Structures are given as C-alpha cells and as structure tokens.
Amino acid sequence: GIVQDVFNQLDTAQDNLREAARIYHQTGNQSYEAKCQFQLANILAKHRQRSEARQALEQCLAIFQAINDKLNCVDVYGLLGILDTFDGEYEAGRDNLLRSLQMSREMGYRSGEIYAISGLGTIYDECGQIGEAIRIMVEALPICQVTGDQRVKAILHSHLSSIYARYVGDFAAAQKQ
C-alpha cells in the first residue's frame, strides 16, 4: 500500500492495506493489523478523505490501547488532533494533542512531543491565543535540536515568523525566525 501511495495509486493502496489488515486480523496479529490501519489513515488523510481516515484511526487506536502499545497511541492521538484541527474542531484537536503530548513526555518520546507541540501551536494561533502559540513553539525548538528533526524545526520557525509578522508587528523577529 505504501508503494502504491507513492505512485498516487490511491485505490490500490487502500485495497492492499485493507487486505493486509484483514489477514493480520485473521491471524491474530493485532499490532500489524493496527499499523496497517494507521498507514491507511495517513493515506486517506493525505488525500483529504478525513472522515474515512478518522474511522481507520479510531480502529487502530482501539487495538493499540487493547495491546497497551502506548508509543503508537501517541502517534494516533497526534494525527487525530491534526484531523480535528483541519475540520475546525479546535477543542477536540487540543484535547487529542494534549493527550499525545502528555503521553510523549511520560515516555520520554521527544519526537512525539515536538509533533504534538507543533499542532498545539497551530491551534492556539487559530484560536487567537498568540502568546500561548509563541510560548509553546519556542519551547519546542530546543527539542528539535535534540531530536535532529529539521522538518518540524523549519515548520516551527516558519509559523513563528508568520505570527510575529501578522500579530506582533515585530518584523525584525519575523525575519530572524
């Protein structure tokens, strides 16, 4: 399914991932069943089929919770929070991202932490809580340095720059970001 997604063969990717999840379910391999559902959800979300993506995420979350796979639960909560944000459901998005953030911190999962913080920064910005958006995104920058995640670091700098230019009027700070 992943290869078909790369080649933009959405229907084939979905079919293959659903079949793989079905086979893993039949053989009792819950972990891989849930991972197939998670990959399917990512593909669906990427292709703007958010309702179907949410269903796949809820299925894999139930499995990950049942097998006590907290690391993958963190990622599912994070993606649910992003989907909520895209749908304008900021309170639900914040709740899911805060759950992801809390679990990440409890486990020392720094990558999960910065992804959750990045999503929370977006929500706070969208809801007009600019000070909180700046605070939480600035807090994440050193974590990006530790994890080496340059992509999230670039996203955070870009978002901070936009906030400074739009709301604070501090163009020097915006250029610095």
Side-chain angles (χ1 to χ4, degrees):
I2 297 168
V3 173
Q4 287 90 12
D5 180 46
V6 170
F7 289 105
N8 207 27
Q9 298 171 346
L10 179 62
D11 291 336
T12 305
Q14 289 179 45
D15 291 345
N16 284 333
L17 286 165
R18 285 189 177 107
E19 179 64 11
R22 186 188 66 74
I23 292 168
Y24 285 128
H25 178 77
Q26 286 179 338
T27 60
N29 191 332
Q30 291 180 302
S31 179
Y32 279 100
E33 176 188 356
K35 288 176 183 177
C36 287
Q37 290 290 347
F38 186 77
Q39 187 60 41
L40 176 62
N42 273 306
I43 290 170
L44 291 167
K46 187 170 84 174
H47 291 279
R48 302 187 195 308
Q49 296 179 19
R50 293 195 293 271
S51 176
E52 295 89 349
R54 183 176 306 284
Q55 289 174 349
L57 285 171
E58 289 169 355
Q59 288 174 357
C60 73
L61 180 61
I63 295 169
F64 286 140
Q65 288 172 329
I67 62 175
N68 200 31
D69 186 338
K70 292 180 182 178
L71 183 66
N72 279 305
C73 285
V74 165
D75 293 337
V76 174
Y77 282 124
L79 190 51
L80 281 169
I82 298 302
L83 287 177
D84 291 331
T85 303
F86 285 149
D87 290 339
E89 300 291 335
Y90 298 119
E91 187 173 331
R94 186 196 70 228
D95 291 347
N96 278 314
L97 287 163
L98 285 171
R99 193 172 299 129
S100 177
L101 178 60
Q102 177 186 5
M103 290 176 72
S104 294
R105 287 181 171 162
E106 288 171 359
M107 297 180 334
Y109 179 35
R110 303 307 300 265
S111 292
E113 189 176 349
I114 59 173
Y115 280 94
I117 288 172
S118 177
L120 286 167
T122 298
I123 289 174
Y124 293 138
D125 180 19
E126 292 289 327
C127 293
Q129 297 174 328
I130 306 311
E132 187 62 15
I134 291 171
R135 184 197 65 75
I136 198 164
M137 285 189 276
V138 167
E139 173 187 318
L141 289 172
I143 302 169
C144 291
Q145 200 66 29
V146 170
T147 64
D149 194 325
Q150 297 301 308
R151 188 182 76 77
V152 174
K153 185 177 180 181
I155 290 168
L156 290 168
H157 278 293
S158 175
H159 201 143
L160 284 166
S161 176
S162 174
I163 289 172
Y164 287 135
R166 282 182 294 140
Y167 297 108
V168 182
D170 188 345
F171 297 105
Q175 288 176 329
K176 180 181 172 189
Q177 290 298 325

